[in-house]
Amino acid sequence: RPGPQPATVSVGLTESEARGLNPAASADDYLVASYFESGARPEGREFARKVRAKYGADRVATDAMAAAYTGVHVWARGAAAAGTADPSAVLAKVRGAEFDAPAGRVRVDPANQHAWLPVRVGKVQASGAVALVPGAGSERPVPPAPFPPTRTRDAWAGFLRGLELDWGGKWQAPKP
């Protein structure tokens, strides 16, 4: 950056992308996510090791990868507990489930089915690595806010019902 520039904050840019862009130009910007490889706990370091073993030594494990991994594991545990892959049966077992994920302890909220996740703030270094900002974010999972205050819960329900109707009343593939 020529001259002093204000720092930016991104909730969509990943650690991998920060390294792949011009890291020096992004130095001192901030990223917000549940998982950063550079600040990982033991489960996160093991996850990153598996990612590199499968996809190459240069691959950076990202928040999106950790979320996908977590979702599959939570679903698989729910299906095993239900004894079937039937969505309704799995859902009954997933509500309230907890999993030691790469990002930390994740809990599926029993009321709304959204995940309680930790929030971390990282600062991009000139190398592209991300250093966790001490004291920023949370190590403990944060409750989800599935109904942002831009609409009432009823307005959100109406919006989602409209999507469901537009999609022919299908939220999942029909049974064979």
Side-chain angles (χ1 to χ4, degrees):
R1 296 178 195 172
Q5 296 288 316
T8 61
V9 177
S10 174
V11 296
L13 192 66
T14 69
E15 190 168 9
S16 177
E17 292 161 334
R19 290 181 187 193
L21 295 171
N22 179 353
S26 300
D28 297 331
D29 285 344
Y30 295 90
L31 307 179
V32 179
S34 292
Y35 173 83
F36 291 113
E37 181 179 308
S38 57
R41 51 199 289 274
E43 293 86 349
R45 286 192 296 276
E46 176 60 15
F47 171 70
R49 186 198 64 73
K50 289 177 183 178
V51 167
R52 284 190 298 281
K54 182 164 179 94
Y55 298 107
D58 300 5
R59 184 63 61 134
V60 177
T62 67
D63 187 49
M65 291 174 178
Y69 176 89
T70 300
V72 168
H73 280 273
V74 168
W75 177 87
R77 287 179 175 203
T84 178
D86 175 70
S88 296
V90 174
L91 177 59
K93 297 298 182 181
V94 166
R95 288 180 187 273
E98 295 189 13
F99 178 66
D100 285 320
R105 189 78 168 167
V106 172
R107 178 175 180 260
V108 178
D109 193 289
N112 60 38
Q113 304 166 51
H114 290 263
W116 290 54
L117 299 168
V119 176
R120 295 189 175 86
V121 178
K123 188 173 186 177
V124 179
Q125 308 299 297
S127 66
V130 175
L132 291 183
V133 177
S138 69
E139 184 57 34
R140 296 182 59 123
V142 173
F147 303 103
T150 55
R151 299 178 182 169
T152 65
R153 183 175 182 150
D154 288 342
W156 279 112
F159 172 73
L160 294 173
R161 179 71 177 136
L163 288 178
E164 181 182 14
L165 293 173
D166 288 348
W167 296 341
K170 305 283 189 236
W171 284 110
Q172 65 191 36
K175 292 184 179 181

